[in-house]
């Protein structure tokens, strides 16, 4: 019994075990992850593709977009056929672009931004005791 304890407590074996644990703890195994589809409480699966197609469909219902496509000579049927042939990356790109469409933008944001910039310039000029003289 004493010889087995002596063999286990041998400094060379202890250092080899510590070295092995150190090597394995320094390089962890690669992590693997993947996206899974969302699931509603009713059990229906909602895929990203369905959500993106819905976003694109809503954008295509916009009168301005429909008119612009008609100006280019595309009918609603041609657009729907083309949507069915797009791959996932193209659908994502088109849905992202559809999200950025300004609905009913009247330019109020631009006017407010310009007024804020003018106000900042005036405040900076007053704080530095500078004057702008227009002749």
């Amino acid at each position: 019994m004493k010889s087995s304890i002596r063999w286990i407590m041998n400094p060379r074996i202890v250092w080899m075990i510590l070295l092995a644990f150190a090597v394995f703890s320094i390089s962890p195994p690669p992590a693997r992850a993947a996206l899974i589809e969302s699931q509603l409480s009713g059990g229906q699966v909602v895929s990203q593709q369905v959500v993106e197609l819905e976003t694109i469909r809503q954008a295509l219902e916009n009168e301005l977009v429909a008119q612009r496509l008609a100006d280019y000579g595309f009918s609603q049927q041609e657009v729907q056929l083309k949507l069915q042939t797009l791959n996932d990356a193209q659908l994502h790109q088109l849905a992202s672009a559809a999200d950025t469409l300004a609905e009913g933008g009247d330019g109020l944001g631009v006017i407010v931004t310009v007024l804020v910039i003018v106000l900042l310039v005036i405040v900076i000029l007053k704080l530095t005791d500078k004057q702008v003289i227009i002749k």
Side-chain angles (χ1 to χ4, degrees):
M1 178 93 171
K2 287 186 178 183
S3 65
S4 65
I5 292 177
R6 220 182 266 166
W7 180 79
I8 292 174
M9 297 305 288
N10 187 346
R12 288 183 182 174
I13 293 177
V14 170
W15 281 110
M16 291 297 284
I17 292 172
L18 286 175
L19 180 65
F21 278 113
V23 168
F24 288 124
S25 66
I26 288 175
S27 61
R32 294 190 179 106
L35 295 175
I36 60 171
E37 295 179 337
S38 299
Q39 194 172 30
L40 299 176
S41 61
Q44 302 97 346
V45 174
V46 178
S47 68
Q48 185 68 23
Q49 185 178 16
V50 171
V51 173
E52 289 175 347
L53 280 172
E54 181 63 24
T55 303
I56 294 168
R57 187 190 60 76
Q58 288 176 355
L60 290 174
E61 288 178 354
N62 188 342
E63 292 176 12
L64 293 174
V65 174
Q67 181 60 41
R68 191 69 168 171
L69 287 171
D71 290 345
Y72 284 123
F74 292 107
S75 68
Q76 290 291 337
Q77 293 79 17
E78 290 174 331
V79 172
Q80 294 300 326
L81 288 174
K82 183 63 179 170
L83 281 177
Q84 294 173 359
T85 62
L86 296 177
N87 62 26
D88 288 340
Q90 292 169 331
L91 275 176
H92 180 69
Q93 183 180 11
L94 191 56
S96 297
D99 282 339
T100 61
L101 286 177
E103 294 184 20
D106 57 353
L108 182 63
V110 174
I111 293 171
V112 170
T113 304
V114 170
L115 289 175
V116 168
I117 291 173
V118 168
L119 184 63
L120 283 174
V121 168
I122 291 172
V123 168
I124 291 171
L125 288 175
K126 290 291 183 181
L127 288 175
T128 58
D129 291 330
K130 304 280 182 176
Q131 291 183 351
V132 176
I133 300 173
I134 302 174
K135 293 183 182 181

